[in-house]
Amino acid sequence: MNNINHTDLILQRCSHCNQKILAPRFSLRQVVICPRCSSQLNDGRSWSIKRLSILSITLLMLAPIAFLQPLISIHLLGSQINANVIEGVRLINHQGDPLTASIVAFCAIAAPLLLPILILMLLIGQRINLNLRPILLVLKHIKEWVMLDVYLIALGIAAIKMQDYASVFIGNGLVAFITMAILSLLILIHMNLDELWRRFYPIDDQGEQPHALACTACHFTGPSNAQGKCQRCHRPLQSRNPYSLQKTWAALIAAMVLLFPANLLPISVFYLNGQRLEDTIYSGVVALIDSGNWPIAIIVFIASILVPFIKIIIMILLLFSIQLKSNTDPVLRMKLLKFVSWIGRWSMLDLFVIALMMTLVNRDQLMSFTMGPAAFYFGTAVILTIMAVEWLDSRLIWDSYGKSKPAK
């Protein structure tokens, strides 16, 4: 460090804990970690916009096959029934539950398509001088909602469930869907938004600034412009996100209220030879155990029961620790916040399984599978918990610990 010229150092604040960092200029392949909260300021992975665009074009070309062609097929009562993504959403909407259908459609269709479209818009927009700031801001939040990998696990669970009633076969669209899931993960892993911001909207290092703030939207560190906005992304620049605690509490309380009907009411209704069988989330897990499907039962229990309640408990503890100015290790609290951010999306597993089961077991057969009233409450609760994590300003954890103060 003694051999580094001061002019080669970059001043920035960590957008996660507000730590002021004076670091040497780094390459895209170097991993840069905040010395205080251990958050990655650069993960060492960055593909060029051209490479990301090639993957995006491939992903869009595969989408019609993956979404419209059968993922799996069954032979039931002498006829073949196919299951695909679009049909599952259509049946949920046809049953009279458009809000739940919209949740499934957004996570399994809209968000996976929006990701490559936005990347291609960056490539094209650069050439026609389009304002790319809104695109980059949306890309920052799209990661949580691309759930092709979750849908793929749901597909496996639905196939195992149907093995007790019919023969299950791989559909023509399954290879395309698996490829889409892999490509979307590669894009999300190697899409370095900080580098994209620096490429499309470069701003010279302004040196030591007494009023420098960290923008949580684009991670630029510097004073606000004359309108009080970030110089790079033009979002309002403030020392802390306004009403962060209030919005997080509101989302958590609403999620807790919705989880009661989500767990007490039936989430699925199965008709077999005229007999109506209702399953709550818990009774569905018990039924899987009774049928010998222990691994699937464990997955469903963790994703649909354990994860939502763990998220809420951890978030409540974090909120109380902030408001009561707890001395609990802030690094531990940051790890808990990152953990709940990572696991939250997997709670959508049950809704995806139901959408697939509705496609495979329709009302024209002696067996019928429909969505119960708990599905809407459950899906809404999952979305609210994801939003609660997004709304919590992690810098408040360090303020409450007394190690960081808002920049003045």
Side-chain angles (χ1 to χ4, degrees):
M1 191 68 157
N2 294 332
N3 297 326
I4 298 175
N5 193 310
H6 184 73
T7 57
D8 293 330
L9 299 177
I10 303 174
L11 172 68
Q12 64 181 113
R13 285 186 180 272
C14 175
S15 60
H16 301 281
C17 71
N18 203 46
Q19 171 69 30
K20 184 186 292 186
I21 302 169
L22 196 63
R25 298 183 185 276
F26 52 87
S27 69
L28 296 178
R29 296 188 178 276
Q30 288 181 306
V31 178
V32 182
I33 298 176
C34 173
R36 170 185 282 175
C37 68
S38 300
S39 297
Q40 287 189 344
L41 306 181
N42 189 70
D43 59 11
R45 295 188 291 261
S46 180
W47 281 357
S48 67
I49 188 66
K50 290 184 178 179
R51 180 181 292 187
L52 293 174
S53 298
I54 292 173
L55 293 182
S56 298
I57 293 172
T58 307
L59 201 152
L60 290 174
M61 292 175 63
L62 290 171
I65 303 173
F67 292 152
L68 296 174
Q69 290 296 309
L71 299 177
I72 57 175
S73 302
I74 65 170
H75 287 168
L76 182 63
L77 302 176
S79 63
Q80 179 173 318
I81 303 174
N82 302 319
N84 61 50
V85 183
I86 300 291
E87 185 64 14
V89 173
R90 188 192 69 80
L91 286 174
I92 296 174
N93 182 68
H94 181 72
Q95 185 182 308
D97 200 348
L99 294 176
T100 307
S102 300
I103 294 173
V104 175
F106 179 76
C107 297
I109 302 173
L113 291 179
L114 187 60
L115 175 65
I117 290 173
L118 290 175
I119 291 175
L120 292 175
M121 288 178 65
L122 287 178
L123 183 66
I124 298 172
Q126 183 186 20
R127 299 180 180 179
I128 61 176
N129 294 323
L130 185 70
N131 181 11
L132 304 178
R133 291 182 178 89
I135 300 174
L136 290 168
L137 291 173
V138 174
L139 280 172
K140 179 181 184 294
H141 298 286
I142 200 68
K143 181 178 181 179
E144 297 294 331
W145 306 100
V146 179
M147 301 187 184
L148 293 180
D149 49 346
V150 181
Y151 198 96
L152 201 57
I153 300 299
L155 184 66
I157 294 175
I160 291 174
K161 281 187 172 184
M162 288 306 303
Q163 283 182 343
D164 295 334
Y165 307 101
S167 301
V168 181
F169 302 92
I170 295 176
N172 298 328
L174 184 59
V175 174
F177 191 90
I178 293 174
T179 307
M180 275 192 70
I182 295 173
L183 290 179
S184 64
L185 286 175
L186 288 174
I187 290 174
L188 292 172
I189 290 172
H190 294 282
M191 181 177 62
N192 191 325
L193 282 176
D194 289 340
E195 173 57 24
L196 292 176
W197 275 109
R198 286 191 289 266
R199 174 179 177 177
F200 294 123
Y201 297 99
I203 298 179
D204 294 333
D205 181 31
Q206 301 174 348
E208 184 74 28
Q209 292 285 342
H211 301 287
L213 297 173
C215 177
T216 56
C218 69
H219 298 170
F220 173 71
T221 298
S224 59
N225 59 19
Q227 291 76 36
K229 297 181 178 180
C230 173
Q231 297 181 46
R232 184 158 64 182
C233 69
H234 295 174
R235 289 289 302 274
L237 191 60
Q238 297 171 307
S239 61
R240 298 294 178 267
N241 295 337
Y243 306 109
S244 172
L245 293 179
Q246 292 89 331
K247 291 189 293 186
T248 304
W249 270 119
L252 280 180
I253 292 172
M256 286 189 289
V257 172
L258 290 173
L259 280 178
F260 283 102
N263 284 274
L264 296 177
L265 296 176
I267 196 169
S268 62
V269 181
F270 187 43
Y271 293 92
L272 179 61
N273 296 325
Q275 184 180 4
R276 177 186 173 98
L277 304 173
E278 296 182 348
D279 267 328
T280 62
I281 297 176
Y282 178 75
S283 65
V285 173
V286 173
L288 285 170
I289 294 175
D290 292 340
S291 63
N293 292 319
W294 277 90
I296 302 301
I298 293 173
I299 292 173
V300 175
F301 175 78
I302 293 174
S304 300
I305 298 179
L306 204 58
V307 167
F309 285 101
I310 286 179
K311 280 192 68 174
I312 288 178
I313 291 172
I314 291 177
M315 289 300 295
I316 289 176
L317 291 175
L318 289 176
L319 288 171
F320 275 126
S321 74
I322 292 172
Q323 294 186 309
L324 298 177
K325 302 185 184 303
S326 170
N327 290 326
T328 306
D329 185 3
V331 175
L332 173 62
R333 287 186 278 168
M334 287 291 294
K335 290 180 179 179
L336 289 174
L337 183 61
K338 293 174 184 176
F339 173 70
V340 296
S341 176
W342 177 75
I343 65 171
R345 55 202 297 274
W346 289 95
S347 295
M348 291 296 295
L349 187 68
D350 234 10
L351 283 189
F352 292 159
V353 172
I354 293 172
L356 287 163
M357 293 291 289
M358 288 179 63
T359 309
L360 291 169
V361 187
N362 58 59
R363 292 183 181 276
D364 296 331
Q365 307 294 335
L366 294 178
M367 295 193 304
S368 175
F369 190 93
T370 61
M371 180 171 287
F376 168 72
Y377 299 111
F378 182 75
T380 307
V382 172
I383 289 177
L384 286 172
T385 55
I386 294 176
M387 294 174 67
V389 176
E390 287 290 314
W391 283 336
L392 181 60
D393 190 343
S394 61
R395 294 173 296 182
L396 296 171
I397 292 175
W398 296 87
D399 291 343
S400 68
Y401 189 66
K403 297 294 184 180
S404 171
K405 299 297 180 184
K408 298 181 179 179

